[in-house]
Amino acid sequence: MFKVNDNYLKLPGSYLFSTIGKKVNAFAAQNPDKKIIRLGIGDVTQPLAPAIIKALHVAVDEMAQAETFKGYAPDLGYEFLRKAIAENDYKARGCEIAADEIFVSDGAKCDAGNIQEIFSVDNKIAVCDPVYPVYVDTNVMAGRTGVYDSAKEIWSDVIYMPCVAENGFAPELPKETPDLIYLCFPNNPTGSTVTKSQLQEWVDYANKVGAVIIYDAAYEAYISEEDVPHTIYECEGARSCAIELRSFSKNAGFTGVRLGFTVIPKDLKCGEVSLHSLWARRHGTKYNGAPYIVQRAGEAVYSEEGKAQLKQQVAYYMNNAKYILEGLKSAGYTVSGGVNAPYIWLKAPGGMTSWEFFDYLLEKANVVGTPGSGFGPSGETYFRLTAFGSYENTVEAVDRMKAL
């Protein structure tokens, strides 16, 4: 008789945002007259920029002609997109990343989950706490996390690096030595950042202990402060210890279009084994590439027209973030984030747990956020709001919260 992967049975409950969706849908069904404002899931709301729409139309027309029709994409992605990424995201910042070190995919979430496949199950992971759930859950599925302690909401074989108010919601170097280190800056969910010198400490540490940093830079387009690195490859020595994940979802609104990429420098090796080669093998075996029309849309992100339009779009969301941050501060909430990231991290008032505040906010203000405990034990009593709604809904949501 067949058997299932028992590691899946170890996962506690359902995926965080699935749980939120079920609770909100149940409330909406019972209260059809209520206008619910959703500031929970980090999904964008502004339409695709005109330059991107134009590129999509041109590419669709090309697919209608035998002379310009495209079938399977190259394993790594089309060269026109990889070159645009290398030039604009890396060489323009003084980072030596070649086009053939870039692997185009259908999103950073998939890559964040899949990247662990090229590492031994014996590796020990270290994660920020609170943390984007995908990093931990995919390692649970692989059998790398040990036993779950439901009382403490932690895994026995995971190194948790608390990100709390006392350390500015940025992790400190762990006392126990990890093999794989997951870092995300600007951070989801806390909206915190690290300076270039702080990130350099992590690169130096990883090279010293022989660890690999899996660096999620999905929100780099929202950075506004000077000393915050946009890529880990701004740090000396990162080519020999870091893998970077990138997304077009938040900087260009591709949540419904799907496009991302992973950077693995050829200098990153385990002994004589190149991680670049392993990922190329995995990529070629299990993935047939992002669609041609989507990759052409990605190329338009780097056009002068596209850059200008997307700068305005990011500014729109960050204006929302500013309104949430300042509005909640004025109402007496303890809040952070919202400066270099589209997330606002707030302390649940009145000693409430994060899920108690979720229910309270949904019932009393009809506003949806994300309970901090869903991101890890250090997220308890905290709550995440996103700036990805419309400005009008953002204003209304904050005004409702201020009136509580």
Side-chain angles (χ1 to χ4, degrees):
M1 182 174 175
F2 72 87
K3 297 179 181 179
V4 299
N5 181 347
D6 289 341
N7 294 312
Y8 278 71
L9 306 181
K10 298 176 184 177
L11 290 164
S14 61
Y15 183 55
L16 171 63
F17 298 107
S18 299
T19 302
I20 290 171
K22 290 175 184 175
K23 289 174 82 71
V24 174
N25 290 338
F27 180 85
Q30 294 170 6
N31 301 274
D33 58 323
K34 304 287 188 183
K35 177 188 175 183
I36 299 172
I37 299 178
R38 292 170 168 82
L39 300 180
I41 295 176
D43 194 2
V44 296
T45 53
Q46 294 296 294
L48 294 173
I52 295 168
I53 292 294
K54 180 181 177 181
L56 283 168
H57 280 297
V58 171
V60 168
D61 289 340
E62 287 181 320
M63 296 296 277
Q65 305 297 324
E67 297 78 14
T68 50
F69 173 80
K70 298 290 190 298
Y72 289 125
D75 284 354
L76 271 66
Y78 283 99
E79 190 172 0
F80 61 78
L81 177 57
R82 291 186 289 110
K83 279 187 174 180
I85 292 169
E87 290 292 333
N88 290 275
D89 287 330
Y90 297 103
K91 291 182 181 177
R93 298 192 179 279
C95 307
E96 286 304 315
I97 295 295
D100 65 356
E101 294 176 315
I102 296 165
F103 296 80
V104 176
S105 70
D106 57 358
K109 179 180 180 179
C110 298
D111 287 352
N114 293 331
I115 194 69
Q116 52 82 24
E117 289 187 23
I118 65 173
F119 296 98
S120 167
V121 73
D122 297 330
N123 284 308
K124 194 149 198 173
I125 70 167
V127 297
C128 294
D129 173 30
V131 65
Y132 181 45
V134 170
Y135 308 153
V136 176
D137 287 359
T138 52
N139 277 282
V140 174
M141 294 170 178
R144 196 177 281 114
T145 55
V147 179
Y148 185 65
D149 185 331
S150 58
K152 296 181 179 179
E153 297 184 317
I154 61 173
W155 294 90
S156 61
D157 292 347
V158 174
I159 300 170
Y160 291 88
M161 303 181 292
C163 299
V164 292
E166 289 74 18
N167 60 14
F169 300 105
E172 298 171 358
L173 297 176
K175 294 181 175 62
E176 184 181 357
T177 304
D179 301 299
L180 305 176
I181 304 167
Y182 286 82
L183 296 178
C184 173
F185 293 107
N187 185 257
N188 176 16
T190 66
S192 64
T193 55
V194 291
T195 64
K196 184 176 178 180
S197 62
Q198 286 177 301
L199 188 56
Q200 184 67 57
E201 288 182 20
W202 282 97
V203 169
D204 293 342
Y205 172 78
N207 278 318
K208 179 182 177 182
V209 302
V212 173
I213 297 172
I214 299 173
Y215 192 77
D216 188 344
Y219 300 95
E220 66 81 27
Y222 292 84
I223 294 171
S224 62
E225 296 179 321
E226 285 296 321
D227 195 30
V228 178
H230 286 253
T231 167
I232 196 168
Y233 300 115
E234 291 180 38
C235 297
E236 185 178 351
R239 283 184 55 86
S240 60
C241 72
I243 294 171
E244 184 162 284
L245 312 176
R246 288 285 192 102
S247 169
F248 286 79
S249 289
K250 305 309 193 297
N251 68 326
F254 277 37
T255 54
V257 179
R258 307 308 306 149
L259 191 65
F261 62 90
T262 290
V263 179
I264 304 186
K266 293 179 181 177
D267 298 354
L268 183 50
K269 296 181 178 181
C270 178
E272 295 301 314
V273 179
S274 163
L275 296 193
H276 180 278
S277 297
L278 293 185
W279 186 243
R281 186 67 171 90
R282 192 262 174 209
H283 213 61
T285 301
K286 291 191 172 185
Y287 187 63
N288 268 337
Y292 171 73
I293 60 174
V294 174
Q295 293 197 48
R296 279 297 186 192
E299 181 187 32
V301 167
Y302 298 102
S303 67
E304 290 306 311
E305 186 182 16
K307 287 178 184 178
Q309 292 167 0
L310 294 177
K311 188 176 181 180
Q312 291 180 344
Q313 200 167 86
V314 167
Y316 178 92
Y317 292 130
M318 290 311 293
N319 187 50
N320 288 351
K322 182 179 180 181
Y323 191 90
I324 298 171
L325 187 68
E326 294 181 352
L328 295 185
K329 274 186 179 179
S330 70
Y333 287 89
T334 301
V335 290
S336 59
V339 176
N340 296 293
Y343 295 119
I344 290 81
W345 191 241
L346 64 120
K347 186 80 170 174
M352 281 189 271
T353 68
S354 54
W355 277 107
E356 286 172 346
F357 186 60
F358 174 90
D359 292 333
Y360 174 78
L361 201 60
L362 179 59
E363 181 180 344
K364 301 297 184 183
N366 310 145
V367 172
V368 179
T370 308
S373 62
F375 298 104
S378 291
E380 184 55 278
T381 75
Y382 282 90
F383 203 73
R384 191 193 77 174
L385 293 174
T386 84
F388 288 123
S390 69
Y391 179 72
E392 294 75 19
N393 279 347
T394 298
V395 170
E396 186 176 347
V398 172
D399 289 350
R400 289 183 193 178
M401 291 179 68
K402 290 167 71 175
L404 291 175

